[in-house]
């Protein structure tokens, strides 16, 4: 029917139809080959995606003859960061890999059949004339890997998807093997061969890791790590950054495999890695968390009591045992942390664990009131063991919060000093008021410490807290004085500096027997030296400011407090006239007396005689039923 219908068309109509089809086909090719069957965004590729169809950057011409090269790790890292993996969106990255594969096949004329029939093709060494054939296989492996990672996220709620996950990982390994086999050709340069071997070892290690074949996974990861370390040492520092990052990603997996094989020393290294990074991401995250929890739980089984300030308290709650066992490791990691962001993250993690432990103790503190009163009577006024444990955990929480705020204060002090030296403008700078707020929080935490149950009669503890309070009061007072200096309030700042010296001298006089407890606090002697230097500079600045005021004052600049509307005939330089607080007129204007409207009083109303109305009232009263009937028929006069 179609052939009969087309044969009956006039020749010029058939030519037009052929021309339209040709133009539509050209537009489809120019748009990136998406068409109607683009599968979610394949059509209409932008200029950036069209550039990907060009040859990837390989070795420079003439460096290795006509050999092919492919920056495998660089290509996959850039693609992952630009297409979803920065936010953990594996589905978006998988869609990108599919679209790029379709564009590559169209560009290379390496299509798998047509829309009606599939015809499988394989990249062989004979047709390997372009490095985009290697990129084609790499994108196949990346698509399978990203689908596996997507299924891993979904397998948390749907365990059956784990089987599909393993199938996709095996597919990715198969593509990686094909890539490695093609790279063994003499046409491919040595660097690409090594990168293909490392990529193959990485995917193999991930597959064995999911199968929990720890020895095979460890061997594959070690091979991958060795290759990337060799590549990093062979190139410049800029090129070695990507390789070193990949080595850092692989190291926790290797240690985890070693631990499962039987290396007990690996758990401590894993915990240090986790603390330094503030939490592991990717393949190892959940397994490492569960492993650390299990290890601490085993150690907690042997922990039965804890001693604090001369009193031994039994610990029966598992969550509290696990927290107390990991406390030393957390504090060591905080002490070894280099960046301020890492320290802040570790402090928050420690405080979160401490709050969970305190909540577990609070739930144990809800027994019957009679049992609590009985325990108080037996202990002769002492608090119960569980209450004392609660006080100990609260002390740890408050002390950690104080250390965190002190660390933030030190970082702010450094920033404040650098900004005073550079005096850069254009962005919000650190101010002494920010430090004052931090020291207020520290003092509030110190107020809560002496009120903990069980420590009211501990005189040494009360004395230590009192000395710490004086130290932080001195620093708070110092930064309040600094804020007054900024606004040139010299007398207030001088009085506050004297107060700082008073607090510091009290600390030095009372700190004889408590030097060990004050070691972690800021140095008071350093503060005294700084205050003495600031006092001298403040006095000099006050004198200079007073001289400048007298020199610059002139009759034309003396303000008499009058508004502009009241001194039109007097010349006076008033800078406030060009500001937002210009004194022009009185506003709102004052009240002025005005003549009011006269009032009229009708005094003659009581003396007026109105005409009588009795005759009209009587006439209306006489009109009874007859008048009503006449009114109905219209006979009323």
């Amino acid at each position: 029917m179609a052939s009969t219908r087309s044969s009956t068309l006039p020749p010029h109509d058939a030519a037009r139809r052929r021309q339209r089809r040709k133009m539509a086909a050209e537009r489809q090719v120019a748009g990136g080959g998406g068409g109607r069957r683009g599968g979610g965004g394949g059509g209409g590729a932008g200029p950036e995606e069209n550039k990907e169809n060009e040859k990837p950057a390989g070795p420079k011409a003439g460096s290795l003859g006509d050999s092919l090269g492919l920056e495998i790790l660089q290509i996959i890292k850039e693609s992952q960061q630009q297409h979803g993996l920065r936010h953990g969106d594996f589905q978006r990255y998988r869609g990108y890999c599919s679209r790029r594969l379709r564009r590559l096949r169209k560009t290379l004329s390496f299509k798998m059949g047509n829309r009606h029939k599939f015809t499988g093709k394989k990249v062989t060494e004979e047709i390997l004339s372009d490095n985009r054939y290697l990129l084609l296989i790499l994108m196949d492996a990346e698509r399978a890997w990203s689908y596996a990672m997507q299924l891993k996220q979904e397998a948390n709620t749907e365990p059956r998807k784990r089987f599909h996950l393993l199938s996709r990982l095996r597919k990715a390994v198969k593509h990686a093997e094909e890539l490695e086999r093609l790279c063994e050709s003499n046409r491919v340069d040595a660097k690409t061969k090594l990168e293909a071997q490392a990529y193959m070892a990485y995917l193999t290690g991930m597959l064995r890791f999911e199968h929990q074949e720890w020895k095979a996974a460890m061997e594959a990861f070690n091979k991958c790590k060795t290759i990337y370390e060799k590549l990093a040492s062979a190139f410049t520092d800029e090129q070695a950054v990507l390789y070193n990052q990949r080595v850092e990603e692989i190291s926790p997996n290797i240690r985890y495999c070693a631990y499962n094989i039987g290396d007990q020393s690996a758990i401590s290294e894993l915990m240090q890695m986790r603390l330094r990074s503030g939490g592991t991401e990717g393949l190892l995250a959940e397994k490492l968390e569960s492993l650390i929890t299990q290890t601490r739980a085993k150690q907690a089984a042997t922990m039965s009591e804890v001693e604090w300030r001369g009193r031994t308290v039994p610990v029966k709650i598992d969550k509290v045992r696990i927290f107390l066992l990991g406390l030393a490791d957390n504090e060591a990691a905080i002490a070894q942390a280099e960046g301020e962001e890492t320290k802040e993250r570790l402090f928050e993690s420690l405080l979160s664990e401490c709050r969970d432990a305190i909540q577990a103790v609070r739930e144990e503190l809800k027994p019957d009131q009679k049992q609590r009163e009985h325990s108080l009577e037996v202990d002769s006024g002492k608090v119960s063991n569980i209450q004392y444990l609660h006080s100990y955990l609260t002390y740890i929480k408050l002390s950690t919060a104080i250390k965190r705020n002190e660390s933030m204060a030190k970082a702010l002090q450094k920033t404040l000093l650098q900004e005073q030296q550079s005096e850069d403008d254009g962005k919000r700078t650190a101010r002494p008021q920010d430090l004052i707020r931090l020291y207020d929080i520290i003092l509030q935490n110190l107020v809560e410490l002496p009120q903990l149950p069980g420590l009211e009669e501990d005189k040494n503890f009360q004395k230590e807290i009192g000395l710490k309070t004086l130290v932080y009061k001195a620093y708070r007072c110092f930064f309040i004085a600094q804020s007054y200096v900024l606004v040139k309030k010299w007398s207030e700042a001088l009085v506050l500096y004297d107060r700082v010296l008073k607090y510091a001298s009290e600390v030095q006089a009372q700190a004889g027997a408590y030097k060990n407890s004050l070691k972690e606090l800021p140095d008071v002697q350093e503060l005294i030296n700084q205050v003495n230097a600031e006092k001298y500079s403040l006095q000099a600045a006050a004198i200079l400011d007073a001289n400048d005021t007298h020199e610059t004052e002139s009759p034309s600049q003396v303000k008499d407090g009058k508004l502009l509307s009241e001194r039109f005939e007097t010349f006076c330089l008033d800078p406030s006239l060009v500001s937002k607080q210009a004194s022009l007129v009185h506003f709102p204007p004052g009240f002025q007396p005005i003549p009011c409207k006269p009032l009229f009083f009708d005094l003659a109303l009581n003396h007026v005689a109105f005409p009588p109305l009795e005759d009209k009232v009587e006439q209306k009263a006489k009109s009874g039923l007859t008048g009503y009937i006449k009114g109905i028929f219209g006979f009323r006069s």
Side-chain angles (χ1 to χ4, degrees):
M1 291 293 293
S3 59
T4 306
R5 188 176 302 168
S6 61
S7 62
T8 58
L9 290 174
H12 60 275
D13 289 344
R16 278 181 198 165
R17 181 170 295 182
R18 285 195 298 271
Q19 185 66 21
R20 289 196 200 101
R21 288 174 182 169
K22 184 176 179 181
M23 292 174 63
E26 289 176 354
R27 283 197 299 268
Q28 187 176 5
V29 171
R36 294 190 302 269
R37 303 168 57 123
E48 293 183 0
E49 291 186 343
N50 285 333
K51 290 180 182 178
E52 294 173 350
N53 298 336
E54 301 173 359
K55 288 188 178 182
K60 293 182 180 179
S63 61
L64 291 172
D66 295 332
S67 60
L68 302 176
L70 191 68
E71 300 284 348
I72 294 177
L73 186 60
Q74 181 180 352
I75 289 173
I76 61 176
K77 282 294 182 182
E78 289 179 355
S79 301
Q80 289 172 1
Q81 290 298 314
Q82 294 174 7
H83 298 90
L85 260 64
R86 184 178 298 177
H87 312 290
D89 190 350
F90 292 98
Q91 185 176 5
R92 177 185 166 193
Y93 181 59
R94 180 167 69 95
Y96 161 76
C97 292
S98 299
R99 294 191 300 273
R100 190 169 185 182
L101 274 171
R102 185 166 53 252
R103 292 194 298 271
L104 283 170
R105 290 193 183 111
K106 182 178 285 291
T107 306
L108 295 170
S109 298
F110 196 74
K111 298 181 181 180
M112 302 291 190
N114 51 35
R115 66 177 63 184
H116 303 295
K117 183 181 179 182
F118 173 79
T119 305
K121 290 183 180 180
K122 289 187 177 181
V123 179
T124 60
E125 188 175 347
E126 289 74 17
I127 66 171
L128 194 61
S129 59
D130 194 330
N131 57 1
R132 283 177 290 184
Y133 286 105
L134 300 177
L135 184 59
L136 195 68
I137 303 174
L138 179 62
M139 285 294 107
D140 270 325
E142 281 293 293
R143 180 173 63 173
W145 171 81
S146 59
Y147 196 9
M149 294 300 102
Q150 177 189 343
L151 292 169
K152 184 175 179 63
Q153 291 179 340
E154 298 172 357
N156 295 328
T157 55
E158 302 178 49
R160 290 290 303 173
K161 289 193 175 182
R162 179 168 175 77
F163 298 102
H164 196 184
L165 152 68
L166 296 175
S167 173
R168 289 293 91 195
L169 271 180
R170 282 192 292 269
K171 191 73 171 178
V173 171
K174 181 179 177 182
H175 288 303
E177 288 176 352
E178 185 179 356
L179 178 64
E180 184 183 11
R181 179 182 58 80
L182 287 173
C183 289
E184 293 297 327
S185 171
N186 295 329
R187 302 179 185 179
V188 181
D189 61 12
K191 181 183 176 184
T192 307
K193 290 178 181 179
L194 288 174
E195 286 205 36
Q197 292 174 9
Y199 184 68
M200 167 63 189
Y202 178 72
L203 291 181
T204 304
M206 294 186 69
L207 178 61
R208 300 304 177 194
F209 195 95
E210 286 296 331
H211 279 292
Q212 297 185 2
E213 298 174 3
W214 308 118
K215 189 174 181 180
M218 185 175 175
E219 291 175 356
F221 282 134
N222 277 325
K223 179 181 177 181
C224 178
K225 180 181 178 182
T226 304
I227 295 174
Y228 282 130
E229 286 176 346
K230 295 294 183 182
L231 286 170
S233 62
F235 295 96
T236 61
D237 293 340
E238 295 180 356
Q239 294 175 325
V241 171
L242 279 175
Y243 300 127
N244 291 327
Q245 287 178 355
R246 177 69 82 171
V247 169
E248 292 177 2
E249 292 174 10
I250 295 171
S251 297
N253 297 338
I254 295 174
R255 301 309 301 162
Y256 186 82
C257 294
Y259 171 78
N260 283 282
I261 290 172
D263 186 2
Q264 297 297 325
S265 63
I267 182 63
S268 60
E269 297 182 15
L270 283 171
M271 293 172 68
Q272 289 298 324
M273 289 178 184
R274 170 182 167 271
L275 290 171
R276 283 196 298 269
S277 64
T280 311
E281 297 179 356
L283 182 68
L284 196 62
E286 299 176 2
K287 295 186 178 181
L288 184 55
E289 290 292 337
S290 62
L291 171 63
I292 292 174
T293 304
Q294 291 173 8
T295 305
R296 286 181 178 173
K298 291 178 182 178
Q299 297 174 355
T302 61
M303 180 182 180
S304 59
E305 59 187 20
V306 64
E307 184 178 355
W308 181 54
R309 303 201 68 84
R311 179 173 173 179
T312 303
V313 180
V315 182
K316 300 179 181 179
I317 306 172
D318 292 336
K319 187 174 287 188
V320 179
R321 289 177 179 176
I322 293 172
F323 167 72
L324 293 176
L325 283 171
L327 180 62
D329 294 333
N330 289 331
E331 291 178 346
I334 290 172
Q336 296 172 4
E338 297 178 355
E340 294 298 329
E341 293 183 1
T342 305
K343 276 189 179 180
E344 181 68 19
R345 189 167 58 245
L346 292 175
F347 272 122
E348 289 297 332
S349 175
L350 179 57
L351 286 172
S352 177
E353 293 178 7
C354 187
R355 292 189 198 100
D356 294 340
I358 290 174
Q359 183 61 33
V361 174
R362 282 176 182 165
E363 292 176 359
E364 294 292 328
L365 278 173
K366 297 178 181 177
D368 196 11
Q369 185 67 24
K370 294 181 180 180
Q371 295 179 1
R372 224 180 301 177
E373 292 176 358
H374 178 68
S375 63
L376 289 172
E377 293 174 0
V378 172
D379 293 341
S380 302
K382 293 182 180 180
V383 297
S384 61
N385 288 332
I386 190 70
Q387 182 66 52
Y388 196 76
L389 180 61
H390 183 270
S391 299
Y392 176 47
L393 294 174
T394 307
Y395 169 80
I396 293 174
K397 185 188 76 169
L398 294 174
S399 301
T400 305
I402 290 172
K403 291 177 182 177
R404 181 193 62 180
N405 291 324
E406 187 180 349
S407 174
M408 294 171 63
K410 288 180 180 178
L412 272 176
Q413 289 180 34
K414 291 180 182 178
T415 306
L416 192 62
L417 183 60
Q418 292 174 358
E419 288 173 353
Q420 288 177 354
Q421 294 175 353
S422 61
E423 296 182 356
D424 292 335
D425 295 331
K427 61 179 180 180
R428 187 187 183 279
T429 58
R431 301 174 300 169
Q433 289 85 341
D434 301 331
L435 287 160
I436 295 169
R437 175 60 181 160
L438 288 175
Y439 283 110
D440 281 336
I441 298 173
I442 291 175
L443 290 172
Q444 183 179 356
N445 292 332
L446 287 172
V447 169
E448 297 178 16
L449 282 174
Q451 301 173 0
L452 294 176
L455 300 175
E456 296 90 346
E457 299 179 359
D458 193 339
K459 302 300 180 183
N460 292 331
F461 182 76
Q462 302 288 337
K463 192 72 174 177
E464 289 177 9
I465 298 302
L467 286 174
K468 290 180 180 180
T469 303
L470 286 175
V471 172
Y472 288 115
K473 276 186 176 180
Y475 272 89
R476 176 180 175 274
C477 197
F478 173 75
F479 288 108
I480 294 176
Q482 291 282 82
S483 64
Y484 277 114
V485 170
L486 292 178
V487 295
K488 297 184 179 181
K489 293 186 177 181
W490 314 116
S491 57
E492 292 88 344
L494 191 60
V495 171
L496 288 169
Y497 280 142
D498 291 335
R499 180 68 63 86
V500 173
L501 294 176
K502 176 186 173 184
Y503 286 143
S505 60
E506 289 181 10
V507 171
Q508 288 183 334
Q510 300 176 17
Y514 302 97
K515 288 185 178 180
N516 292 330
S517 61
L518 298 178
K519 284 182 179 179
E520 299 179 355
L521 296 179
D523 190 5
V524 179
Q525 185 60 43
E526 183 180 350
L527 180 63
I528 292 175
N529 297 335
Q530 190 174 359
V531 168
N532 289 329
E534 291 288 342
K535 282 181 65 177
Y536 297 135
S537 62
L538 184 146
Q539 291 172 356
I543 293 171
L544 291 173
D545 187 58
N547 292 335
D548 292 342
T549 303
H550 291 302
E551 290 175 1
T552 57
E553 196 174 82
S554 63
S556 63
Q557 291 178 328
V558 175
K559 295 174 64 176
D560 53 3
K562 292 183 179 180
L563 301 173
L564 181 62
S565 60
E566 298 175 355
R567 51 181 174 85
F568 284 132
E569 298 178 356
T570 304
F571 175 73
C572 177
L573 293 176
D574 190 359
S576 65
L577 293 177
V578 294
S579 66
K580 294 182 179 180
Q581 304 293 332
S583 300
L584 303 178
V585 293
H586 284 291
F587 188 82
F591 291 98
Q592 295 180 359
I594 58 173
C596 63
K597 184 179 179 179
L599 300 178
F600 296 95
F601 297 95
D602 194 355
L603 302 178
L605 179 62
N606 296 329
H607 303 282
V608 173
F610 290 96
L613 301 174
E614 289 82 359
D615 53 344
K616 295 188 177 296
V617 173
E618 290 176 359
Q619 183 180 359
K620 188 176 181 180
K622 288 180 180 179
S623 60
L625 182 59
T626 307
Y628 176 71
I629 295 172
K630 288 181 179 181
I632 291 175
F633 293 101
F635 297 111
R636 178 174 297 190
S637 57

